[in-house]
């Protein structure tokens, strides 16, 4: 049976939510969307592929920065419209800001505190 | 400053993605959406409130089952359209199936294996 058939892309107009966790620490690294083509490409290659809404194209995560994600486990939720990927994050950072995780802001009282760990300098990596 | 102003509800037509993690284990329990009203209610009460798309209303998680979520930490991602909540899950299960986590299916080869831990019987809890 094709495992892709259990994933409900129809509900989200062709997209599902994909959450990447650091396989070693369990930390939430980032959240993106996948269409069927990106999920199939992820299965074929073992590297996380998402859909870039801003660029309107298949997005091999890390294609520009080299910070790709090796997939170590894939989980599907009860209603089939959200995936969790446990990944090995190459370069140690998933966020385009150069921080390890995109979720670097924590609410303390009325303020969002930046608790992010800076892994790389985005100016050096992206050259802009 | 109002912490809600840092959350970008506009991009998702009034909604952001909200991921609930078990505060003790770090496990991903469930994913839902919040509108501004549900986020404000979450902040005011310390209990997770989402938006129910199926019922078209504010959803106090656990209002029917008693399995509410006490919020222990709130994180916001780099572009402000996704929240992570670390919660204490009352009753030990977040999924309407009675399983601890909604992400109980794991891909092994070409098959989704059910690795879920059954915490409660949904027939007993929901009476249907």
């Amino acid at each position: 049976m094709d495992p892709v058939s259990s994933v409900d892309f129809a509900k989200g107009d062709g997209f599902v939510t994909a959450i990447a966790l650091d396989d070693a620490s369990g930390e939430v690294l980032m959240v993106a969307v996948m269409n069927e083509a990106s999920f199939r490409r992820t299965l074929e290659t073992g590297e996380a592929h998402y859909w870039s809404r801003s660029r309107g194209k298949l997005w091999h995560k890390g294609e520009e920065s080299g910070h790709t994600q090796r997939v170590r486990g894939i989980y599907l939720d009860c209603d089939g419209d959200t995936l969790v990927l446990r990944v090995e994050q190459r370069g140690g950072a998933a966020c385009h800001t150069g921080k390890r995780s995109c979720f670097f802001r924590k609410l303390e009282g009325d303020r969002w505190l930046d608790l992010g760990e800076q892994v790389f300098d985005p100016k050096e990596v992206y050259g802009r």
Side-chain angles (χ1 to χ4, degrees), chain A:
Chain A
M1 199 177 130
D2 181 2
V4 179
S5 66
S6 299
V7 184
D8 185 355
F9 290 101
K11 203 191 318 179
D13 294 325
F15 299 101
V16 296
T17 301
I19 303 166
L21 307 185
D22 184 287
D23 186 43
S25 68
E27 185 182 16
V28 180
L29 294 174
M30 58 176 281
V31 173
V33 295
M34 284 187 178
N35 61 0
E36 185 173 330
S38 38
F39 185 49
R40 287 198 185 276
R41 195 88 188 108
T42 299
L43 295 179
E44 285 159 16
T45 62
E47 301 251 329
H49 287 70
Y50 304 101
W51 177 260
S52 169
R53 286 194 195 270
S54 59
R55 288 174 288 164
K57 70 180 194 76
L58 188 76
W59 167 30
H60 178 196
K61 168 69 184 167
E63 61 196 2
E64 203 178 342
S65 65
H67 299 168
T68 53
Q69 295 177 337
R70 191 85 204 149
V71 178
R72 297 300 184 199
I74 301 181
Y75 299 80
L76 181 63
D77 76 338
C78 50
D79 57 359
D81 64 356
T82 309
L83 293 161
V84 162
L85 276 66
R86 295 193 69 108
V87 304
E88 186 189 318
Q89 177 64 60
R90 296 225 178 78
C95 188
H96 75 286
T97 59
K99 289 176 171 152
R100 197 175 63 231
S101 158
C102 292
F103 295 88
F104 53 81
R105 289 185 279 182
K106 184 181 187 196
L107 191 61
E108 291 287 351
D110 281 347
R111 293 178 55 217
W112 295 101
L113 298 190
D114 181 345
L115 302 178
E117 186 193 321
Q118 199 72 38
V119 176
F120 66 80
D121 178 350
K123 283 200 202 90
E124 280 175 26
V125 167
Y126 298 106
R128 57 169 187 263

